[in-house]
Amino acid sequence: MPSSTGPSIETITEGGRVTQVGEGQEADEATPSVMTFGAPAVGEVLAERYELAEHINDDSAGRQVWRGVDVILRRPVAVVLRYPGGDSAKEMLQAAVAASRVIHPNLVGVYDAIDEEDRAYVVREWVDGHSLRELISEGVLDPARATSIAHAVSGAIAAIHATGMVHGNLHPGTVMVADDGRVVLADARTDGADTPETDVRAVGGILYYALTGHWPHAEASLTAGSTRRSRSPLPDAVRDASGTIAAPRQVRAGVPAYLDDLTMDLLDAQLAVPSSDVLAAELGRLDAAAEEHYLDSGPLRFTSGDDSGPDPSTPSNRRMLIGIAALLVVALVGLSLGINALVGDGGTAADQAGPAPSTQASSQPAVAGDPEPAATPRKVALKGDQVRVIDPGGTRSELDGAEKVVDGDANEGWETETYRSRSNFGNQKPGMGILVNLGEPREVTNVQVQFSDSGVSAELRWGTRDFPATGSGDQDLIEAYSNRIGNASEKTEGANVSFSQFTPGQEYQYLLLWITDLPETEPGSGRYKIGVQEITVHSR
């Protein structure tokens, strides 16, 4: 009888498409032969659920990779098979159990793992897109895009670290960019020698590679006192005669000084690296600055009163600025998003592996010149009765399910009906929204929204009170909620949207996520729909 133990993660690209195979421990050596005795065939259904549709590849560890279909949920999946199962597959299945405990928008979803003794297989999310390695083969990225990818990767790493685990296999082949713009990290296979520092150093390597097209083999794989070297065929970093790595700005023009400094600091074995959650928060700040077109102005200055503060171009002052910035950035934002939804009731056997270790944030030290430290933003605990659907001019048939947007499970949420012909709700109404009542006035710092797809036009508004939950009441509310947080509605490039332009010191109780335009379900279908998977609010 097959036993379900829960999943492991793998990936590579072939022919312009992410083909979901493993990269090994960053070593592209000759692919071992794969046993064919009892090998599956197209059309075979594994575990009475996963139908095999196409043999994609054999990965560097000798495992077969298939594209399949979950016949129950009717969704595409990637199936990674190993011969034999049992003790020979123990490491893969243990990694599967560990990986299934972390759910995060920037981690490949892990669904199941089965051991049939003669073979074992892991079932994962199927992602169409490209690996970072393939993207860079077509040209290096601009600094803003490189920052955005590093931000997503560091958020995923922070989520993994929050559970007490490490990734241990972060490199350009395990960073995937889906066709919808989503950045996901795959193939977590630590060998026991890895530490959180290993992962953080590798984020510096990802930045270096995205900016230059070269992978700093030694520096991106070093822990304190380690001399480990990777064996990937990726081109090594540019070096001088003594072997010293060249900075990104020395390799190509247009790299901002502060991004160059951050990359080199992360790769400098003589410098201590920040924790992954602090790094994620700092990259989030830089990512947000890029969206607002402030990158050319340089990093924010974290000094008070004296405009002639330290020169950020020197290594010592650069590290001081980064350290002070780390005290001010909201480390809990990346952390809470990372562990937003640990596996709950009703999961697979992987879910029964036990709860992840809890973490507790330390208090935030004061910054010189401040009378007292600012309160650390925290996630607002919201219940289902604190959210409701706003549908002015609608038929009131899409009101159910709003509570799912605050249940901590990004796999389910509220969704609109399917509209035809036009993306603006079929030209039937001005829009739809979700009203969030925070229960009391709060100093909000950030609102994160996870949609089911990109290409949606949405904005965040606020008001001073609720209105009766009727059609006319909804229209009154829309007219009253004329204040926006940030810019007017425009098409999103990704499925995750952040609103952070809140007025410091001002308190908000009622927030409205207002949607005016829907993405097409499939190109050329003429059908439009969107789902809101999660809404997360942080306040002081």
Side-chain angles (χ1 to χ4, degrees), residues 87-175:
D87 291 341
S88 298
K90 182 177 180 180
E91 182 179 354
M92 181 182 82
L93 296 177
Q94 285 179 337
V97 171
S100 68
R101 295 174 61 185
V102 187
I103 300 177
H104 187 273
N106 300 116
L107 286 172
V108 166
V110 183
Y111 303 144
D112 207 351
I114 308 293
D115 184 4
E116 294 181 345
E117 294 300 330
D118 60 330
R119 66 185 178 187
Y121 43 92
V122 171
V123 183
R124 296 187 288 100
E125 174 185 6
W126 176 269
V127 182
D128 282 314
H130 302 80
S131 70
L132 180 62
R133 182 171 66 181
E134 185 176 62
L135 286 180
I136 299 305
S137 70
E138 300 176 356
V140 296
L141 304 183
D142 63 80
R145 184 60 174 146
T147 302
S148 177
I149 289 177
H151 176 210
V153 169
S154 62
I157 291 297
I160 294 173
H161 291 179
T163 68
M165 299 183 292
V166 295
H167 187 276
N169 193 30
L170 174 56
H171 57 87
T174 56
V175 176

Side-chain angles (χ1 to χ4, degrees), residues 279-304:
L279 176 61
E282 174 65 5
L283 284 168
R285 181 183 70 79
L286 298 179
D287 194 9
E291 293 179 0
E292 295 297 328
H293 309 290
Y294 295 152
L295 278 175
D296 290 340
S297 64
L300 298 179
R301 303 299 294 272
F302 293 95
T303 57
S304 60

Side-chain angles (χ1 to χ4, degrees), residues 331-348:
L332 281 180
V333 172
L335 178 59
S336 62
L337 288 176
I339 57 176
N340 193 27
L342 290 180
V343 178
D345 294 339
T348 65

Side-chain angles (χ1 to χ4, degrees), residues 257-302:
Y258 61 86
L259 190 58
D260 185 271
D261 291 343
L262 175 60
T263 302
M264 294 302 289
D265 281 353
L266 292 174
L267 296 174
D268 189 343
Q270 302 302 313
L271 299 180
V273 293
S275 62
S276 56
D277 56 344
V278 169
L279 176 61
E282 174 65 5
L283 284 168
R285 181 183 70 79
L286 298 179
D287 194 9
E291 293 179 0
E292 295 297 328
H293 309 290
Y294 295 152
L295 278 175
D296 290 340
S297 64
L300 298 179
R301 303 299 294 272
F302 293 95

